[in-house]
Amino acid sequence: MVNPLSLFLRPKVTETFKFRDEELEALGAEIKKEIPKVFGHSLAIRELDSGSDNSTEIEISNLGNPHYDVERFGISFVASPRHADVLLVTGAVTLNMAGAVKKTYEAMPFPKFVVAVGDDACDGGIYKGSYAVLGGADKILPVDMKIPGNPPSPKEILKGLFVMMQRASK
């Protein structure tokens, strides 16, 4: 029979967990070098849901968790488009959200960049052809970068932002 006190008094046994992702660290270091060249300060991102199923928003939210922690690379999310350098559009643009998408873009200061994140924002995805959907973000905004995926992983989103910054610095 097991002594119940031995369960409380023995050392805790957990698996060894590696938090360090070398590819992410290298990508983050490159992004951190590129951001001041393009923006002259840290990168401020405004995320806009134009009619998505929230899967892409979950992946974008993961960028702020302790594993990815993108703020250490100089990337932050802002609540107002007036403070944003980049507009991340998620989801297919619905007819009801088209006006709000345009107003959000117009409220951003120059230079401003638009990134379509996820298959739905890139070309309408599974909602393409629906009576309630205009299509991808490029139907009403000048999209600088498309990051496909359903949904794209946080690392793919970071890679897309890095490519966008490299194009913008040239």
Side-chain angles (χ1 to χ4, degrees):
M1 177 171 177
V2 177
N3 181 356
L5 283 178
S6 70
L7 296 174
F8 294 106
L9 299 175
R10 71 179 182 194
K12 301 290 183 210
V13 178
T14 61
E15 64 184 281
T16 305
F17 190 80
K18 262 180 105 174
F19 284 105
R20 193 151 175 89
D21 181 342
E22 296 301 327
E23 183 186 6
L24 175 67
E25 296 300 323
L27 178 63
E30 292 294 321
I31 288 174
K32 196 172 183 175
K33 278 192 264 178
E34 199 69 32
I35 287 174
K37 292 179 193 171
V38 178
F39 299 104
H41 53 77
S42 63
L43 173 61
I45 296 174
R46 169 75 172 119
E47 189 272 326
L48 174 67
D49 179 351
S50 61
S52 78
D53 58 4
N54 289 333
S55 61
T56 305
E57 282 78 18
I58 292 170
E59 298 301 324
I60 290 172
S61 294
N62 285 336
L63 290 171
N65 73 22
H67 180 76
Y68 294 101
D69 189 20
V70 295
E71 288 205 17
R72 66 190 157 130
F73 304 134
I75 299 171
S76 62
F77 288 87
V78 295
S80 171
R82 296 190 189 284
H83 303 139
D85 304 305
V86 172
L87 181 65
L88 287 187
V89 180
T90 62
V93 179
T94 63
L95 292 175
N96 288 338
M97 286 296 293
V101 170
K102 286 180 186 172
K103 284 180 182 177
T104 302
Y105 176 76
E106 290 165 1
M108 293 174 61
F110 284 96
K112 50 187 167 185
F113 299 92
V114 177
V115 178
V117 183
D119 288 345
D120 296 341
C122 289
D123 67 356
I126 62 172
Y127 306 106
K128 189 176 1 180
S130 167
Y131 68 93
V133 170
L134 285 176
D138 59 350
K139 294 289 184 192
I140 59 172
L141 297 178
V143 174
D144 298 292
M145 181 75 192
K146 291 182 177 180
I147 304 173
N150 192 19
S153 71
K155 215 181 276 186
E156 291 170 331
I157 296 169
L158 280 178
K159 286 177 184 173
L161 288 173
F162 179 59
V163 170
M164 181 210 66
M165 283 185 274
Q166 284 183 320
R167 288 181 185 170
S169 67
K170 291 179 183 173

